[in-house]
Amino acid sequence: MEKEYTIRELTKLCHETAQEKGFWDEKRNIGEALMLIVTELAEAMEAHRIQDQANFKEELADTFIRLFDLCGGLEIDIQEEIDKKAQRNKQRPYKHGKIC
Ligand SMILES: [Mg+2]
Protein backbone atom coordinates (compact mmCIF):
# COMPACT_ATOMS: atom_id res chain seq x y z
CA MET A 1 0.00 0.00 0.00
CA GLU A 2 1.24 3.49 -0.86
CA LYS A 3 2.14 5.74 2.06
CA GLU A 4 -0.34 8.54 2.55
CA TYR A 5 1.40 11.76 3.49
CA THR A 6 0.07 14.69 5.44
CA ILE A 7 0.57 18.12 3.90
CA ARG A 8 3.16 18.77 6.61
CA GLU A 9 5.06 15.62 5.61
CA LEU A 10 4.87 16.52 1.90
CA THR A 11 6.25 19.98 2.68
CA LYS A 12 9.17 18.42 4.53
CA LEU A 13 9.80 15.82 1.82
CA CYS A 14 9.68 18.31 -1.07
CA HIS A 15 11.87 20.84 0.69
CA GLU A 16 14.43 18.27 1.79
CA THR A 17 14.64 16.89 -1.75
CA ALA A 18 15.12 20.38 -3.21
CA GLN A 19 17.82 21.10 -0.64
CA GLU A 20 19.59 17.82 -1.45
CA LYS A 21 19.51 18.74 -5.16
CA GLY A 22 21.12 22.12 -4.49
CA PHE A 23 18.17 24.42 -5.09
CA TRP A 24 18.65 26.15 -1.75
CA ASP A 25 22.44 26.48 -1.82
CA GLU A 26 22.09 30.20 -2.41
CA LYS A 27 19.45 32.55 -1.02
CA ARG A 28 16.27 32.05 -3.02
CA ASN A 29 14.56 34.83 -4.91
CA ILE A 30 11.00 34.44 -3.65
CA GLY A 31 9.46 36.24 -6.61
CA GLU A 32 11.25 33.89 -8.98
CA ALA A 33 10.17 30.86 -6.94
CA LEU A 34 6.55 32.02 -7.13
CA MET A 35 6.79 32.53 -10.88
CA LEU A 36 8.27 29.05 -11.31
CA ILE A 37 5.14 27.73 -9.61
CA VAL A 38 3.06 29.69 -12.11
CA THR A 39 5.20 28.19 -14.88
CA GLU A 40 4.19 24.70 -13.76
CA LEU A 41 0.55 25.76 -13.99
CA ALA A 42 1.20 27.11 -17.48
CA GLU A 43 2.69 23.74 -18.40
CA ALA A 44 -0.45 22.07 -17.03
CA MET A 45 -2.55 24.44 -19.14
CA GLU A 46 -0.62 23.48 -22.26
CA ALA A 47 -0.94 19.77 -21.49
CA HIS A 48 -4.68 20.25 -21.05
CA ARG A 49 -4.85 22.21 -24.30
CA ILE A 50 -3.27 19.38 -26.26
CA GLN A 51 -5.21 16.78 -24.25
CA ASP A 52 -2.13 15.12 -22.77
CA GLN A 53 -3.72 13.86 -19.56
CA ALA A 54 -0.58 12.14 -18.23
CA ASN A 55 1.49 15.31 -18.59
CA PHE A 56 -1.38 17.41 -17.21
CA LYS A 57 -1.33 15.39 -13.99
CA GLU A 58 2.47 15.53 -13.81
CA GLU A 59 2.51 19.32 -14.17
CA LEU A 60 -0.08 19.66 -11.40
CA ALA A 61 2.20 17.50 -9.25
CA ASP A 62 5.15 19.77 -10.15
CA THR A 63 3.08 22.75 -9.03
CA PHE A 64 2.42 21.26 -5.61
CA ILE A 65 6.01 20.07 -5.24
CA ARG A 66 7.37 23.56 -5.91
CA LEU A 67 4.77 25.11 -3.62
CA PHE A 68 5.49 22.70 -0.78
CA ASP A 69 9.22 23.24 -1.28
CA LEU A 70 8.78 27.00 -1.03
CA CYS A 71 6.64 26.69 2.10
CA GLY A 72 9.29 24.45 3.64
CA GLY A 73 12.02 26.92 2.75
CA LEU A 74 10.07 29.79 4.27
CA GLU A 75 9.16 27.71 7.32
CA ILE A 76 5.47 28.20 6.66
CA ASP A 77 3.17 25.58 8.20
CA ILE A 78 0.93 25.46 5.16
CA GLN A 79 -1.19 22.68 6.66
CA GLU A 80 -2.16 25.02 9.49
CA GLU A 81 -2.77 27.88 7.05
CA ILE A 82 -4.99 25.71 4.84
CA ASP A 83 -6.92 24.45 7.87
CA LYS A 84 -7.54 28.01 9.05
CA LYS A 85 -8.54 29.32 5.62
CA ALA A 86 -10.74 26.32 4.79
CA GLN A 87 -12.62 26.83 8.06
CA ARG A 88 -13.00 30.55 7.29
CA ASN A 89 -14.25 29.78 3.76
CA LYS A 90 -16.77 27.30 5.20
CA GLN A 91 -18.35 30.18 7.15
CA ARG A 92 -18.61 32.48 4.14
CA PRO A 93 -21.94 32.97 2.33
CA TYR A 94 -22.93 31.34 -0.95
CA LYS A 95 -20.50 32.50 -3.67
CA HIS A 96 -18.95 34.57 -0.88
CA GLY A 97 -21.84 37.02 -1.11
CA LYS A 98 -21.13 38.05 -4.68
CA ILE A 99 -23.95 38.30 -7.23
CA CYS A 100 -21.88 37.15 -10.21
MG1 LIG B 1 6.91 20.81 -15.05
Side-chain angles (χ1 to χ4, degrees), residues 40 43 59 62:
E40 299 298 350
E43 290 172 355
E59 299 306 343
D62 280 346

Side-chain angles (χ1 to χ4, degrees), residues 7-66:
I7 291 171
R8 221 168 258 135
E9 289 169 333
L10 282 170
T11 299
K12 187 173 187 295
L13 172 67
C14 294
H15 184 54
E16 283 176 354
T17 301
Q19 283 180 306
E20 286 166 14
K21 303 300 176 185
F23 293 107
W24 288 85
D25 288 353
E26 287 105 42
K27 187 171 169 39
R28 293 294 304 265
N29 176 322
I30 303 309
E32 180 182 86
L34 288 169
M35 285 306 101
L36 287 171
I37 293 164
V38 172
T39 299
E40 299 298 350
L41 288 172
E43 290 172 355
M45 171 64 197
E46 178 61 9
H48 175 69
R49 194 182 69 80
I50 64 172
Q51 299 180 339
D52 182 345
Q53 184 67 3
N55 191 237
F56 176 68
K57 291 188 284 187
E58 184 174 304
E59 299 306 343
L60 290 179
D62 280 346
T63 305
F64 280 102
I65 288 166
R66 283 192 186 274

Side-chain angles (χ1 to χ4, degrees), residues 54-82:
N55 191 237
F56 176 68
K57 291 188 284 187
E58 184 174 304
E59 299 306 343
L60 290 179
D62 280 346
T63 305
F64 280 102
I65 288 166
R66 283 192 186 274
L67 197 45
F68 288 140
D69 170 34
L70 181 61
C71 290
L74 297 177
E75 299 181 353
I76 292 169
D77 182 348
I78 198 61
Q79 181 154 7
E80 182 182 333
E81 297 303 321
I82 291 170

